Amino acid sequence: ETGVTQSPTHLIKTRGQQVTLRCSSQSGHNTVSWYQQALGQGPQFIFQYYREEENGRGNFPPRFSGLQFPNYSSELNVNALELDDSALYLCASSYGQGSLYGELFFGEGSRLTVL
Amino acid sequence: AQKVTQAQTEISVVEKEDVTLDCVYETRDTTYYLFWYKQPPSGELVFLIRRNSFDEQNEISGRYSWNFQKSTSSFNFTITASQVVDSAVYFCALSEINYGGSQGNLIFGKGTKLSVKP
């Protein structure tokens, strides 16, 4: 069974640029959630995708957007990067819609530094 | 509003000591889930336990135990006979129970960094 994989693991961007982060969900999972974890803080929910549609969003501006593909992998896109976007971005996969369906399995994250 | 507070920022113990990590939560929901996750230096969050608000029984899994007290809105985590491999950041989290909406909306505390020294 393949776990959740994320790429790239580390990247450096400058303010104003755009970034795309990728996530392959665990085999058999059809839901992907994205979280932002600033240094020394707990993860914060960005949004979730279920069967290729956004299924819930946290308090993040529209410049944070995402996609889910037919194979359930996902992308997180951030436009017009700001210094405060520097964080560890975590992807989690799970099966089913609604919180009754099992636990979230997290990847190791993509660490983004914005200069 | 939902909120999770982990008042202990860092804890340091010597191997074989018992240690308790505190978690206090706030929610207006009458039904909810509580979680504990472990985050080793590699970064991924490792699921430890999920408990729903209907079940206040304490749970033990090997050296780990959890004490859920709805009356004090607490869900504390105890590691018995700690080991160096237990060193990590531990997060407590809360989510609503829903039947079709977003599953992913976990509200995390700020975490407690546990260092176990040999």
Side-chain angles (χ1 to χ4, degrees):
Chain A
E1 187 176 81
T2 307
V4 178
T5 57
Q6 294 186 242
S7 63
T9 54
H10 294 82
L11 68 167
I12 300 173
K13 292 283 187 178
T14 55
R15 198 168 47 181
Q17 285 188 312
Q18 179 264 342
V19 67
T20 297
L21 307 178
R22 294 178 176 82
C23 172
S24 293
S25 57
Q26 184 162 310
S27 176
H29 287 178
N30 55 12
T31 302
V32 171
S33 304
W34 285 93
Y35 285 79
Q36 180 196 65
Q37 185 179 13
L39 200 61
Q41 303 293 314
Q44 283 197 297
F45 176 67
I46 304 175
F47 44 55
Q48 180 187 78
Y49 279 83
Y50 171 68
R51 293 186 175 178
E52 303 179 57
E53 294 204 356
E54 190 178 288
N55 181 45
R57 188 180 182 93
N59 190 24
F60 280 81
R63 60 188 185 84
F64 285 79
S65 63
L67 282 173
Q68 188 179 31
F69 300 100
N71 66 354
Y72 304 124
S73 65
S74 177
E75 285 183 355
L76 164 64
N77 299 291
V78 187
N79 293 323
L81 284 168
E82 301 177 359
L83 297 179
D84 284 349
D85 295 333
S86 295
L88 179 68
Y89 288 85
L90 293 163
C91 169
S93 76
S94 55
Y95 176 77
Q97 185 183 27
S99 59
L100 294 179
Y101 296 97
E103 67 192 74
L104 300 181
F105 290 83
F106 283 84
E108 292 189 352
S110 295
R111 183 159 303 278
L112 170 66
T113 302
V114 181
L115 302 176
Chain B
Q2 296 179 318
K3 185 180 177 181
V4 175
T5 301
Q6 294 179 257
Q8 304 149 309
T9 307
E10 292 193 42
I11 300 176
S12 183
V13 299
V14 176
E15 210 169 18
K16 296 185 184 176
E17 283 186 23
D18 298 347
V19 59
T20 295
L21 309 182
D22 297 333
C23 173
V24 173
Y25 62 92
E26 297 173 31
T27 179
R28 286 177 291 190
D29 295 327
T30 54
T31 56
Y32 47 88
Y33 282 124
L34 294 164
F35 302 78
W36 276 95
Y37 281 87
K38 174 182 180 180
Q39 187 174 44
S42 55
E44 83 277 21
L45 288 165
V46 178
F47 170 84
L48 296 178
I49 190 172
R50 179 178 74 176
R51 174 53 51 87
N52 73 55
S53 53
F54 299 117
D55 183 3
E56 288 193 68
Q57 268 195 323
N58 291 331
E59 182 158 341
I60 297 174
S61 175
R63 296 185 297 108
Y64 295 169
S65 62
W66 291 270
N67 182 358
F68 176 29
Q69 293 200 342
K70 212 166 176 178
S71 60
T72 56
S73 297
S74 65
F75 186 43
N76 296 337
F77 172 32
T78 297
I79 302 174
T80 303
S82 59
Q83 299 176 1
V84 173
V85 293
D86 295 328
S87 297
V89 181
Y90 290 86
F91 290 96
C92 180
L94 167 72
S95 82
E96 61 181 351
I97 292 179
N98 63 68
Y99 297 87
S102 170
Q103 174 190 24
N105 194 12
L106 292 179
I107 308 297
F108 285 86
K110 291 188 176 182
T112 297
K113 182 178 181 181
L114 175 64
S115 298
V116 182
K117 302 187 189 314

